[in-house]
Amino acid sequence: MVPFPIEKIYLDVKAEGDWGSQTVLKALPQVPVEKIEDKRSVIKRFLSFSDPIGAGKKSLLITPFYGRRVKPCPGTSNHICCGYHVINAITNCPMDCSYCVLQGYLNNPFLTFYSNWEDLLQEIESFLSSHPHSFLRLGTGELSDSLALDTVFPISPFLIPFFAQRNHAVLELKTKSAEVDHLLHLEHRKRTIISWSLNPPKIIEEEEKGTVSLEKRIAAAQKCQERGYPIGFHFDPIIFYEEWEKGYQETVDSLFRRIDPKGVIWISLGGFRYPPQLKNIVKERFPDTKIFLGELFPGRDGKFRYLKEIRIEMYQKMVRWLRDVDPGLFIYLCMESKEVWERVFGWAPENSRHLNQMFEERLREFLNR
Ligand code: SF4
């Protein structure tokens, strides 16, 4: 069963013969299909709606993609980035987090499935072969939720066995869903990391519409851990609110009541941040949101963040609560400056390349256990 209401499919005639398109159409037999010759004019029409993003979340566009679909994570300028690569298999997301950066980023509001699936596998293959000496990390969870649309097209069940055959690359599936049962029987050779974005229940309820509860995310992570998958967690975005300390500390406690920290490959921390153009969109779409209540200021990359001292305090406390569970946890900061790293950990990676090397070492150590 598809967990999200897809009301209409727009099928690009150029995608009609693709096996990927046929698979999606079979998975959604009740959904009306409109064949389109010119996707640009349909996108333009959607963009004139009062809430194109909301409308796009219920409409699936199936179209081929002719450009590169494996790209370096855009990261952010003047900050330390981790050298991640993004696999662009589906864009946009049926969930609806108030803070989602995709709202201001994608110029196509549709849930979009790229039908030339075989080309993507070939592209990943040649990308990996062209980096024989690196230990690469790739993920599908940057331009969508990695698991949300697996019932429409089984992206992860294709990618997991594909990565299981590689020795120097891992796939990360990032999600806020609990749709993991279809992955549990797969041969993964620890080459797929399944990771959850976590926030306290209050934030999930108020700011992460369409996602599953904290309890369900943890239960899903536990199932995956029991099947030997390396698992990860992302406390990102960490949101500052009156009772944030209690909220995040209890979230850490709830997590490690069920999860063995030794099987956690990494945990990231990232304070709420947003590009300036996002604020108006969010306020319009989520008039009751409280995410802008803290004081946020533009940084060197133009993105708004909490004051540095607030971020540092939040990270220091998070690190302390996590290290109290297990001092060996691999914790990193997402899109932060060297100075912030130093104040939080007492040291900082020299640069993005250094952080990337640390990830490689972590992977080798974790996978060779
Ligand atoms: S789950 Fe991720 S991609 Fe989906 S709406 Fe939330 S933040 Fe955006």
Side-chain angles (χ1 to χ4, degrees):
M1 200 187 104
V2 179
F4 300 100
I6 294 177
E7 293 173 357
K8 186 153 180 186
I9 295 173
Y10 293 85
L11 175 63
D12 186 334
V13 290
K14 291 192 263 328
E16 228 178 324
D18 287 341
W19 169 81
S21 313
Q22 297 307 322
T23 308
V24 173
L25 295 175
K26 266 191 219 135
L28 297 170
Q30 332 287 7
V31 181
V33 180
E34 180 180 328
K35 291 187 189 174
I36 54 170
E37 306 245 349
D38 176 11
K39 69 180 169 197
R40 277 194 208 143
S41 67
V42 183
I43 290 171
K44 203 166 154 202
R45 180 157 59 82
F46 259 66
L47 289 173
S48 70
F49 290 179
S50 60
D51 178 13
I53 298 156
K57 285 177 183 288
K58 296 182 198 144
S59 309
L60 179 68
L61 171 66
I62 306 177
T63 186
F65 189 96
Y66 299 118
R68 276 176 59 210
R69 280 187 278 177
V70 179
K71 294 183 184 166
C73 175
T76 199
S77 54
N78 297 312
H79 290 73
I80 296 179
C81 294
C82 69
Y84 199 77
H85 282 82
V86 176
I87 300 173
N88 186 354
I90 279 194
T91 51
N92 220 330
C93 175
M95 299 173 184
D96 207 2
C97 305
S98 59
Y99 53 74
C100 181
V101 73
L102 297 181
Q103 297 171 101
Y105 179 64
L106 297 172
N107 46 16
N108 160 14
F110 285 94
L111 288 173
T112 304
F113 171 70
Y114 299 112
S115 57
N116 46 339
W117 174 252
E118 294 87 347
D119 298 350
L120 175 61
L121 292 182
Q122 268 172 22
E123 188 183 339
I124 300 172
E125 180 75 64
S126 61
F127 175 74
L128 299 182
S129 328
S130 63
H131 295 78
H133 304 300
S134 309
F135 208 138
L136 297 163
R137 287 166 292 121
L138 296 91
T140 52
E142 300 305 307
L143 296 178
S144 189
D145 180 282
S146 292
L147 301 181
L149 290 172
D150 264 9
T151 38
V152 173
F153 184 84
I155 292 178
S156 313
F158 280 120
L159 289 178
I160 291 172
F162 179 89
F163 274 84
Q165 294 163 28
R166 321 286 138 184
N167 285 328
H168 296 104
V170 289
L171 169 72
E172 182 174 22
L173 304 174
K174 278 191 205 169
T175 189
K176 290 186 181 117
S177 84
E179 301 284 319
V180 295
D181 288 354
H182 63 302
L183 310 179
L184 298 178
H185 66 285
L186 297 171
E187 175 62 56
H188 57 77
R189 276 187 72 233
K190 298 208 279 189
R191 291 319 189 260
T192 293
I193 293 139
I194 309 183
S195 63
W196 279 264
S197 304
L198 300 182
N199 255 317
K202 174 186 160 62
I203 300 292
I204 292 178
E205 212 169 286
E206 292 178 2
E207 309 289 351
E208 297 181 352
K209 303 278 179 284
T211 68
V212 304
S213 66
L214 175 67
E215 203 184 317
K216 286 189 177 160
R217 292 182 209 182
I218 296 174
Q222 188 181 16
K223 279 191 205 169
C224 293
Q225 189 169 55
E226 284 165 2
R227 295 298 173 122
Y229 280 102
I231 55 173
F233 296 100
H234 301 285
F235 288 91
D236 193 350
I238 300 175
I239 291 175
F240 186 83
Y241 62 100
E242 209 176 323
E243 298 208 300
W244 75 269
E245 288 192 44
K246 186 169 177 284
Y248 283 94
Q249 193 168 11
E250 284 176 1
T251 303
V252 171
D253 290 347
S254 311
L255 176 63
F256 289 107
R257 269 198 291 275
R258 296 179 73 172
I259 296 297
D260 174 5
K262 298 286 178 242
V264 175
I265 190 161
W266 50 58
I267 293 179
S268 76
L269 307 177
F272 172 51
R273 56 204 175 273
Y274 65 91
Q277 70 273 17
L278 192 69
K279 189 168 181 176
N280 285 344
I281 300 173
V282 174
K283 289 203 138 186
E284 182 99 349
R285 296 198 62 237
F286 300 94
D288 297 328
T289 184
K290 300 196 182 71
I291 54 172
F292 299 112
L293 291 186
E295 287 181 272
L296 293 125
F297 297 91
R300 281 184 294 166
D301 58 355
K303 287 186 185 143
F304 282 70
R305 290 177 169 77
Y306 299 125
L307 277 177
K308 190 163 59 191
E309 294 307 318
I310 292 178
R311 287 174 4 244
I312 289 170
E313 186 197 339
M314 293 173 98
Y315 296 145
Q316 284 173 334
K317 288 187 172 160
M318 286 294 292
V319 169
R320 198 173 71 228
W321 298 326
L322 292 164
R323 294 256 193 261
D324 281 349
V325 174
D326 183 342
L329 283 170
F330 182 94
I331 306 169
Y332 66 97
L333 303 181
C334 191
M335 296 192 201
E336 277 295 356
S337 65
K338 216 168 155 180
E339 184 196 343
V340 172
W341 274 81
E342 267 158 8
R343 299 262 311 272
V344 173
F345 296 108
W347 69 277
E350 288 304 309
N351 46 36
S352 300
R353 182 192 289 213
H354 183 199
L355 181 59
N356 199 8
Q357 279 166 0
M358 287 175 45
F359 272 100
E360 291 197 8
E361 281 163 27
R362 173 63 175 166
L363 280 166
R364 287 181 214 283
E365 176 266 317
F366 192 95
L367 299 182
N368 288 330
R369 281 179 195 170

